[in-house]
């Protein structure tokens, strides 16, 4: 048969014998149980904060309920109960004017660093302190009660430790699941930027950081190229590396010099992203606003995740570089014909769908064959590069130029009608005419470059890429027939031709045959 | 419906909230209102997690906050726009200093609604002070005067074990920024410059103000980090004065028949300033009971409930009608608080205000530990404040730029 004390202990143990979500829910169960058992007026639980040598009140139980309360007691103040508490685990003498009892809640575990010769050693971890108060009727605690309370304190300490372990395990599981989910999302994102946005938002949500920022470096890892971030409201922000302050650019060096280290007091963590020796960028997680510390477990998990992230970003960059190389002409740095055709088809579709205009300029360098033959292929290449440079720098962001073949180039001008295209053509003509061949090759003679351009417009001149190209080419032919160095719009050329026919001054030409004949005689063909 | 609230009435908070709930249920019998009590620290942390709760976490509907958290919660996207929930909702009856803290900064959209407010003042036991001064009002007008009175009281009560001239009104029994602010303001210091573009935390006036307040603990006039109970309290006779935000006249007079008088917080510099701190309620944007939550908020703002609840937590009603009724109900109260209220200052409603207070609270916590360990120096406090100033500057550049 169990004696009274053992039975009470057994009952208390049964009451706490369940899985608690956290320390709070355990205390919400244990404190009322204690209160009922000893008919207490109030019972308190204080956390023992080792670093600050402080007993910090966590919860109070009164009547049938528990609630958060605040009270800090420094053990360095040597409160009257401390000595007795540390010696015997229980203290009856307090500064309070009514009967109260302090009970040490401690956890015993085998010492991890047993020295040779030591038979057995236990390291005691102080978890907290219970304060049991009876202020009504000033009832003192009996010896039997004190004895029992001590054992119940031990029972609570075991449960607290188990709850902490369970909580840590659950957190670990939650973090691994979260990171696994995020990796899957990242892997299935078609575009790198979309994937990065999703991942940063996910990390912020799961880890509950105030801000998450990803700094991406340029190819050689010496400068910050861009910053992608998620702010405290969950909004995604993107910044050009050029706009960053000096402090932020300085971080790049510091992050890679010091590598990621964890400091328990920190509410900011930097994790470098590296693939072998290549710097990809770095991640920063901060709780600057909330002042919450970033846990070591979170830091470790993020570090592992960052390695995977760095690899993916590096792969994606490589892929982009390969794509870039295959889409651009090496000499002129202009997109190649295949890339242009894709964009042209897309833009025609968009223009039809939204009822927009679009123009096309086809051009070639005048007397390019003569330049090549007369001054050499080196100068020919130089001329091509110069003309391409003017085209690249003289157009709007939305315009798409292309090296169509030899010295022939095409420019697609979305949302542009014939008149607007003429303005652009004139600007290009003037800028290119300003280019002179290097004098050391021309014996001091100023040889200017010039171009001829033909323009066609959607939907007036045609509604398919093929027809628009054909019409622009016909306009170019007319320019070449009229002495080169200028530009013409197909509609105007066609109208002039029709007017000439009507006036009987000219017979209508068979355009297709004439155009092809002209093409074959052009330089570079 | 779930309300997250703070233990405003200390150990009696639960009982007070139960009374409030029963009043609410009298009018709305079908209402289901549960109140959870958390300390300010816990609530502060939770303000950053309620946006993305895990499946086992509770989603509160209404939450009590210090008034200067509003801007942060709007920025985070945690607080629901009350003006959208009820376009007729108005702050016309709200006391002027509390209004700005209910809006999203720069707009007229209401995101939190005032509940009650408190004001810092010096309360003293008339019977104790009579033993050391014939003119407490004059002697306690300045900080130096307060320190002199403390010294005289300590000598007078040297035979009383556990006696301190000042009771520590901080819940934690530590040094509190809320009690330090009047000293800083009185010195001409402040947390931020007028246009709020830079911090004044590292300035001489600020440091001096903090030091004035810390002196109470340094000279052992006020207990810090000690067991709360009969030690160093006005009610037990083991303290004679207290700087507190609660209007304590009623309580003390009723309890044990003590005669407690109230004066403005002694001036450390040119003039005295009181700290006015409001408590607001906001509706969680994720709440599924927003209409009911708003109903509760409006119930709390009703003059009769305002008067009753403010009395329960020993604070002041936040709306004009109830406030006037409260202040005019006693000539002593009117006389005492008219001057204090006119000199009151409050904290601005900006995103980083809560963070600034957290930073400074931590500095004062370290300070308290150092004092207990006898290793406090003014230089170490100044260094901490300089570092804090840099942190605040950085936060300003991120969030208020």
């Amino acid at each position: 048969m169990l004696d009274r004390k053992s039975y009470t202990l057994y009952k208390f143990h049964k009451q706490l014998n369940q899985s608690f979500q956290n320390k709070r829910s355990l205390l919400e169960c244990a404190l009322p149980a204690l209160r009922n058992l000893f008919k207490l007026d109030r019972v308190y639980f204080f956390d023992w904060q080792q670093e600050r040598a402080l007993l910090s009140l966590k919860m109070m139980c009164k009547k049938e309920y528990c609630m958060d309360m605040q009270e800090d007691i420094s053990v360095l103040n040597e409160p009257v109960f401390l000595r007795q508490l540390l010696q015997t685990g229980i203290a009856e003498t307090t500064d309070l004017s009514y009967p109260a009892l302090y009970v040490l809640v401690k956890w015993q575990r085998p010492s991890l660093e047993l020295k040779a010769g030591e038979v057995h050693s236990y390291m005691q971890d102080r978890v907290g302190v219970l304060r049991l108060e009876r202020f009504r009727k000033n009832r003192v605690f009996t010896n039997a009660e004190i004895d029992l309370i001590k054992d119940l304190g031990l029972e609570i300490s075991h449960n607290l430790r188990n709850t902490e372990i369970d909580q840590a395990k659950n957190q670990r599981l939650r973090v691994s699941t979260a990171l696994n989910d995020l990796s899957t999302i990242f892997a299935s994102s078609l575009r790198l930027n979309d994937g990065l946005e999703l991942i940063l938002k996910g990390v912020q949500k799961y880890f509950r950081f105030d801000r998450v920022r990803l700094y991406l470096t340029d190819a050689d890892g010496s400068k910050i190229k861009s910053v992608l971030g998620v702010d405290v409201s969950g909004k995604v922000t993107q910044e050009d590396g050029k706009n960053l302050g000096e402090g932020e650019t300085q971080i790049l060096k510091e992050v890679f010099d010091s590598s990621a280290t964890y400091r328990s007091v920190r509410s900011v963590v930097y994790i470098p992203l590296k693939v072998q020796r290549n710097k990809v960028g770095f991640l920063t997680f901060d709780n600057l606003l909330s002042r919450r510390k970033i846990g070591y477990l979170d830091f470790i998990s993020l570090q592992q995740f960052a390695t995977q992230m760095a690899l993916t970003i590096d792969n994606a960059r490589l892929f982009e570089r390969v794509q870039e190389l295959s889409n651009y002409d090496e000499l002129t740095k202009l997109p190649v014909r295949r890339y242009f055709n894709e964009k042209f088809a897309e833009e025609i579709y968009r223009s039809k769908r939204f009822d927009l205009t679009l123009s096309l300029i086809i051009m070639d360098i005048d007397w390019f064959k003569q330049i090549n033959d007369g001054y050499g292929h080196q100068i020919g290449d130089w001329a091509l590069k110069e003309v391409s440079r003017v085209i690249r720098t003289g157009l709007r962001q939305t315009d798409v130029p292309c090296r169509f073949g030899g010295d022939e180039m095409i420019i697609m001008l979305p949302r542009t009608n014939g008149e607007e295209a003429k303005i652009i053509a004139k600007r290009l003509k003037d800028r290119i005419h300003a280019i002179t061949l290097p004098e050391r090759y021309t014996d001091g003679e100023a040889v200017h470059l010039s171009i001829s351009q033909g323009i066609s417009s959607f939907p007036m001149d045609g509604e398919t890429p093929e027809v628009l190209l054909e019409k622009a080419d016909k306009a170019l032919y007319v320019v070449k027939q009229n002495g080169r160095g200028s530009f013409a719009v197909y509609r105007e050329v066609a109208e002039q031709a029709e007017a000439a026919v009507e006036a009987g001054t000219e017979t209508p030409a068979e355009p297709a045959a004439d155009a092809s004949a002209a093409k074959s005689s052009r330089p570079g063909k | 419906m779930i309300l997250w609230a703070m233990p405003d009435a200390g150990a009696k908070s639960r009982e007070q909230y139960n009374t409030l709930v029963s009043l609410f249920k009298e009018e709305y019998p079908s209402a289901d209102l549960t109140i959870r009590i958390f300390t300010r620290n816990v609530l502060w942390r939770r303000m950053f997690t309620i946006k993305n709760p895990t499946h086992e976490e509770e989603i509160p509907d209404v939450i009590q906050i210090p008034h200067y958290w509003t801007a942060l919660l709007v920025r985070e996207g945690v607080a629901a726009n009350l003006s959208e929930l009820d376009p007729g909702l108005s702050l016309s009856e709200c006391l002027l200093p509390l209004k700005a803290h209910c809006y999203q900064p720069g707009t007229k959209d209401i995101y939190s609604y005032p509940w009650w407010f408190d004001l810092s003042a010096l309360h003293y036991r008339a019977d104790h002070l009579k033993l050391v001064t014939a003119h407490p009002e004059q002697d306690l007008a300045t900080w130096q005067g307060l320190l002199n009175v403390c010294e005289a009281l300590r000598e007078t009560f040297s035979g009383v074990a556990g006696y301190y001239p000042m009771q520590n009104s901080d819940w934690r029994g530590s040094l509190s920024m809320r009690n330090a602010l009047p000293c800083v303001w009185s010195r001409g210091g402040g947390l931020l410059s007028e246009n709020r573009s830079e911090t004044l935390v590292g300035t001489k006036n600020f440091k001096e103000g903090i030091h004035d307040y810390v002196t109470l603990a340094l000279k052992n006039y006020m207990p810090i980090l000690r067991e709360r109970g009969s030690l160093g309290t006005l009610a037990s006779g083991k303290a004679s004065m207290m700087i507190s935000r609660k209007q304590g006249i009623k309580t003390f007079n009723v309890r044990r028949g003590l005669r407690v008088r109230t004066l403005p917080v002694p001036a450390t510099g040119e003039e005295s300033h009181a700290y006015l701190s409001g408590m607001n309620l906001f509706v969680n944007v994720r709440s599924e009971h927003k209409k009911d939550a708003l109903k509760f908020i409006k119930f709390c703002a009703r003059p009769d409930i305002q008067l009753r609840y403010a009395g329960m937590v020993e604070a002041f009603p936040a709306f004009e009608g109830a406030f006037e009724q409260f202040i005019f109900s006693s000539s002593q109260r009117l006389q005492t608080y008219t001057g204090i209220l006119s000199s009151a200052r409050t904290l601005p409603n900006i995103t980083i205000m809560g963070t600034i207070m957290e930073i400074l609270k931590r500095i004062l916590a370290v300070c308290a530990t150092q004092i207990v360990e006898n290793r406090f120096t003014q230089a170490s406090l100044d260094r901490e404040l300089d570092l804090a100033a840099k942190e605040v500057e950085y936060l300003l550049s991120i969030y208020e730029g």
Side-chain angles (χ1 to χ4, degrees):
Chain A
M1 276 295 282
L2 289 173
D3 59 22
R4 194 182 157 83
K5 183 186 166 188
S6 308
Y7 181 67
T8 313
L9 267 171
Y10 169 73
K11 262 179 67 181
F12 192 73
H13 172 79
K14 284 264 286 183
Q15 237 173 318
L16 298 191
N17 190 21
Q18 51 179 299
S19 176
F20 292 100
Q21 206 184 81
N22 50 37
K23 193 169 172 179
R24 173 186 292 274
S25 36
L26 166 68
L27 291 174
E28 277 172 347
C29 176
L31 300 190
L34 273 179
R35 199 193 68 83
N36 291 338
L37 209 52
F38 298 99
K39 297 193 171 31
L40 304 167
D41 290 310
R42 285 178 198 161
V43 51
Y44 299 78
F45 180 84
F46 291 82
D47 269 333
W48 193 299
Q49 293 189 2
Q50 206 79 34
E51 286 167 21
R52 295 176 60 203
L54 208 66
L55 293 177
S56 187
L57 181 57
K58 177 99 184 149
M59 191 175 276
M60 180 203 74
C61 170
K62 181 187 165 192
K63 294 186 181 165
E64 292 307 317
Y65 58 82
C66 292
M67 61 184 249
D68 279 15
M69 286 281 283
Q70 289 185 327
E71 184 179 345
D72 287 348
I73 305 171
S74 169
V75 294
L76 298 166
N77 261 331
E78 294 192 6
V80 291
F81 62 82
L82 188 69
R83 190 177 293 270
Q84 199 188 359
L85 185 72
L86 290 177
Q87 277 170 357
T88 64
I90 206 148
E92 293 168 79
T93 325
T94 73
D95 270 326
L96 305 166
S97 55
Y98 44 83
L101 208 64
Y102 279 94
V103 184
L104 190 61
V105 179
K106 64 188 179 202
W107 160 252
Q108 291 185 323
R109 65 172 182 205
S111 168
L112 298 173
E113 293 170 51
L114 283 179
K115 286 178 189 157
E118 267 183 355
V119 183
H120 198 68
S121 157
Y122 279 92
M123 203 163 82
Q124 294 187 341
D125 271 3
R126 288 185 283 261
V127 178
V129 167
L130 286 163
R131 184 165 81 200
L132 289 69
E133 292 182 355
R134 273 177 180 168
F135 46 81
R136 271 181 297 184
K137 296 181 192 163
N138 261 5
R139 287 168 301 128
V140 292
F141 291 90
T142 65
N143 286 340
E145 279 180 326
I146 291 173
D147 210 24
L148 183 59
I149 287 167
K150 235 172 146 175
D151 288 337
L152 295 180
L154 208 61
E155 179 71 32
I156 292 176
S157 76
H158 285 301
N159 279 287
L160 275 172
R161 183 55 61 153
N162 289 342
T163 306
E164 267 176 30
I165 293 168
D166 280 354
Q167 225 183 322
K169 277 199 290 194
N170 287 340
Q171 195 199 345
R172 180 99 208 175
L173 185 69
R174 234 188 346 254
V175 166
S176 326
T177 314
L179 290 180
N180 199 30
D181 287 354
L182 291 173
S183 305
T184 315
I185 295 168
F186 194 28
S188 60
S189 300
L190 290 173
R191 290 172 55 211
L192 176 66
N193 225 40
D194 291 348
L196 290 174
E197 271 185 38
L198 285 171
I199 211 98
L200 296 186
K201 277 180 140 178
V203 167
Q204 192 208 28
K205 188 180 162 189
Y206 283 115
F207 290 86
R208 295 165 158 187
F209 293 125
D210 294 353
R211 294 193 311 164
V212 178
R213 286 162 81 79
L214 169 68
Y215 291 77
L216 289 172
T217 56
D218 56 6
D220 61 356
S222 61
K223 276 184 198 148
I224 296 169
K225 201 172 133 195
S226 62
V227 188
L228 192 64
V230 183
D231 68 9
V232 72
S233 62
K235 210 172 84 184
V236 177
T237 55
Q238 193 154 15
E239 251 181 288
D240 196 310
K242 287 176 203 156
N243 303 333
L244 295 178
E246 206 179 309
E248 278 189 281
T249 49
Q250 186 63 28
I251 298 172
L252 176 67
K253 195 173 174 301
E254 285 171 23
V255 169
F256 283 98
D257 284 354
S258 62
S259 196
T261 46
Y262 178 76
R263 282 180 230 158
S264 62
V265 288
R266 293 189 84 159
S267 47
V268 187
V269 160
Y270 298 96
I271 300 181
L273 299 174
K274 269 195 287 193
V275 176
Q276 291 169 339
R277 290 192 169 192
N278 294 339
K279 294 172 187 172
V280 174
F282 63 93
L283 280 160
T284 74
F285 309 98
D286 81 61
N287 283 338
L288 285 169
L289 203 55
S290 60
R291 315 291 301 162
R292 286 166 302 147
K293 287 170 194 164
I294 296 176
Y296 184 65
L297 185 65
D298 287 351
F299 171 72
I300 292 293
S301 309
L302 287 166
Q303 219 177 11
Q304 289 165 357
F305 181 62
T307 314
Q308 193 188 335
M309 202 166 163
L311 207 63
T312 315
I313 295 171
D314 199 45
N315 281 341
R317 279 182 168 182
L318 266 175
F319 178 70
E320 274 178 3
R321 178 88 190 111
V322 169
Q323 260 204 326
E324 200 178 287
L325 284 174
S326 62
N327 285 338
Y328 290 83
D329 174 59
E330 208 181 333
L331 180 72
T332 59
K333 309 287 182 216
L334 291 177
V336 295
R337 195 166 167 164
R338 179 179 50 75
Y339 178 78
F340 177 84
N341 286 342
E342 277 173 27
K343 295 282 161 194
F344 196 20
E346 276 173 26
E347 207 51 52
I348 291 270
Y349 172 78
R350 204 189 329 268
S351 301
K352 276 183 188 166
R353 175 87 175 74
F354 299 105
D355 206 12
L356 303 168
T357 54
L358 177 150
S359 291
L360 187 76
I361 299 177
I362 186 161
M363 68 165 78
D364 61 22
I365 302 172
D366 296 331
W367 315 113
F368 186 68
K369 190 177 182 308
Q370 282 79 349
I371 293 169
N372 254 340
D373 294 346
Y375 303 108
H377 286 280
Q378 207 184 347
I379 291 299
D381 285 353
W382 179 89
L384 270 172
K385 275 192 207 171
E386 282 300 291
V387 170
S388 312
R389 182 184 54 78
V390 171
I391 291 170
R392 279 199 320 270
T393 54
L395 295 176
R396 302 167 301 186
Q397 288 256 316
T398 47
D399 301 336
V400 183
C402 150
R403 186 180 181 191
F404 212 52
D407 66 319
E408 200 167 44
M409 292 163 203
I410 308 179
I411 304 167
M412 175 178 70
L413 307 163
R415 299 184 186 204
T416 311
N417 59 30
E419 284 308 307
E420 289 161 340
K422 273 160 79 176
I423 297 169
I424 295 170
K426 163 105 176 41
R427 192 166 68 213
L428 290 174
K429 185 196 104 172
D430 293 345
R431 287 187 184 174
I432 287 167
H433 190 70
I435 304 170
T436 51
L437 295 185
E439 287 187 359
R440 63 178 182 277
Y441 294 99
T442 58
D443 296 330
E445 196 188 341
V447 179
H448 290 269
L449 288 179
S450 72
I451 51 168
S452 300
Q453 305 171 80
I455 301 166
S456 65
S457 295
F458 171 91
M460 261 203 289
D461 303 330
E463 294 198 353
T464 64
E466 295 77 22
V467 174
L468 286 167
L469 265 171
E470 189 193 317
K471 298 283 170 72
D473 204 32
K474 279 179 184 166
L476 174 66
Y477 171 72
V478 173
V479 174
K480 285 181 167 291
Q481 293 287 74
N482 292 333
R484 295 183 166 90
S486 185
F487 54 86
V489 176
Y490 175 77
R491 176 63 40 192
E492 290 171 7
V493 169
E495 279 169 5
Q496 277 169 16
E498 275 170 30
V501 169
E502 274 172 26
T505 51
E506 202 173 300
T507 51
E510 187 58 51
D514 285 348
S516 60
K519 239 181 187 180
S520 63
S521 63
R522 265 189 269 133
K525 300 289 164 192
Chain B
M1 186 165 61
I2 296 166
L3 164 68
W4 281 3
M6 296 183 211
D8 299 321
K12 283 186 184 163
S13 300
R14 174 63 66 177
E15 284 87 341
Q16 310 289 35
Y17 283 126
N18 286 347
T19 312
L20 185 69
V21 170
S22 17
L23 288 171
F24 184 61
K25 281 192 173 176
E26 269 174 30
E27 293 200 20
Y28 302 98
S30 60
D32 178 21
L33 178 62
T34 309
I35 297 186
R36 305 243 188 272
I37 303 175
F38 300 111
T39 57
R40 186 184 287 231
N41 284 348
V42 174
L43 271 185
W44 169 256
R45 283 200 301 272
R46 292 198 172 195
M47 287 306 104
F48 294 88
T49 57
I50 52 170
K51 200 168 64 175
N52 300 309
T54 59
H55 65 275
E56 65 257 12
E57 279 174 351
E58 181 181 84
I59 298 174
D61 300 288
V62 193
I63 303 170
Q64 176 190 357
I65 50 159
H67 62 335
Y68 56 85
W69 289 6
T70 307
L72 166 73
L73 299 173
V74 175
R75 179 83 171 244
E76 267 196 282
V78 168
N81 186 341
L82 301 181
S83 300
E84 257 174 32
L85 284 177
D86 177 2
L89 194 71
S90 156
L91 287 168
S92 58
E93 289 296 304
C94 169
L95 289 174
L96 191 66
L98 303 170
K99 274 187 192 172
H101 298 81
C102 304
Y103 299 115
Q104 173 180 22
T107 74
K108 285 289 171 201
D109 284 337
I110 303 170
Y111 278 85
S112 74
Y113 214 60
W115 194 4
W116 52 267
F117 76 95
D118 52 31
L119 272 172
S120 57
L122 176 76
H123 305 285
Y124 68 90
R125 279 184 67 141
D127 54 339
H128 282 197
L129 267 283
K130 208 162 72 177
L131 302 173
V132 294
T133 169
H135 310 285
E137 290 192 11
Q138 280 171 26
D139 290 348
L140 294 173
T142 64
W143 199 256
Q144 189 51 50
L146 174 79
L147 297 179
N148 295 342
V149 169
C150 282
E151 191 57 42
L153 282 166
R154 190 155 61 185
E155 275 173 33
T156 309
F157 290 91
S158 57
V160 180
Y163 174 83
Y164 288 86
M166 298 286 291
Q167 177 178 335
N168 192 345
S169 65
D170 178 50
W171 278 112
R172 287 167 297 132
S174 185
L175 296 171
S176 96
M177 201 50 218
R178 281 172 279 173
N179 286 338
L181 276 172
C183 299
V184 172
W185 286 328
S186 182
R187 282 271 185 185
L191 293 167
L192 298 166
S193 60
E194 244 174 75
N195 61 6
R196 296 169 188 175
S197 64
E198 52 188 321
T199 178
L200 304 175
V201 167
T203 58
K204 186 169 164 271
N205 290 349
F206 189 92
K207 288 173 180 169
E208 282 174 353
I210 295 284
H211 190 250
D212 288 329
Y213 168 64
V214 169
T215 310
L216 290 179
L218 267 177
K219 291 192 178 264
N220 213 19
Y221 293 148
M222 178 178 79
I224 50 165
L225 304 180
R226 287 200 172 271
E227 222 177 340
R228 194 195 303 142
S230 47
L231 182 99
T233 63
L234 245 69
S236 69
K238 291 184 178 179
S240 308
M241 299 181 287
M242 168 169 72
I243 293 173
S244 168
R245 297 176 306 126
K246 297 285 179 82
Q247 56 95 6
I249 302 166
K250 185 181 127 197
T251 321
F252 291 125
N253 284 347
V254 171
R255 207 188 284 165
R256 301 186 190 195
L258 299 180
R259 275 187 65 213
V260 173
R261 291 281 167 86
T262 302
L263 290 173
V265 176
T268 52
E270 294 288 307
E271 52 186 1
S272 168
H273 286 289
Y275 172 42
L276 186 152
S277 164
M279 280 293 171
N280 288 14
L281 291 167
F282 81 90
V283 176
N284 184 1
V285 80
R286 294 182 68 103
S287 163
E288 286 174 6
H289 313 282
K290 290 195 184 77
K291 293 263 175 212
D292 287 340
L294 189 63
K295 217 182 271 176
F296 176 73
I297 287 178
K298 285 161 104 175
F299 169 81
C300 290
R302 238 174 47 191
D304 55 328
I305 304 298
Q306 278 273 302
L307 262 178
R308 189 152 175 187
Y309 190 72
M312 272 152 53
V313 295
E314 298 175 47
F316 301 91
F319 291 84
E320 275 170 9
F323 181 75
E324 280 167 12
Q325 219 174 317
F326 173 82
I327 207 89
F328 287 118
S329 64
S330 144
S331 58
Q332 190 195 343
R333 188 178 286 151
L334 178 67
Q335 193 187 345
T336 307
Y337 280 104
T338 308
I340 295 176
L341 191 62
S342 64
S343 71
R345 282 192 180 182
T346 188
L347 299 175
N349 177 32
I350 58 169
T351 307
I352 64 163
M353 202 59 243
T355 310
I356 297 177
M357 291 298 269
E358 283 296 306
I359 293 171
L360 296 172
K361 194 174 84 184
R362 202 164 294 176
I363 290 176
L364 287 185
V366 172
C367 213
T369 312
Q370 287 175 341
I371 291 171
V372 169
E373 290 175 7
N374 273 329
R375 56 181 183 86
F376 171 84
T377 61
Q378 180 63 36
S380 69
L381 173 60
D382 288 353
R383 199 170 45 245
E384 288 296 325
L385 290 173
D386 287 335
L387 288 173
K390 280 184 189 156
E391 259 188 275
V392 177
E393 289 289 353
Y394 184 55
L395 284 167
L396 278 170
S397 72
I398 298 175
Y399 290 102
E400 312 290 345

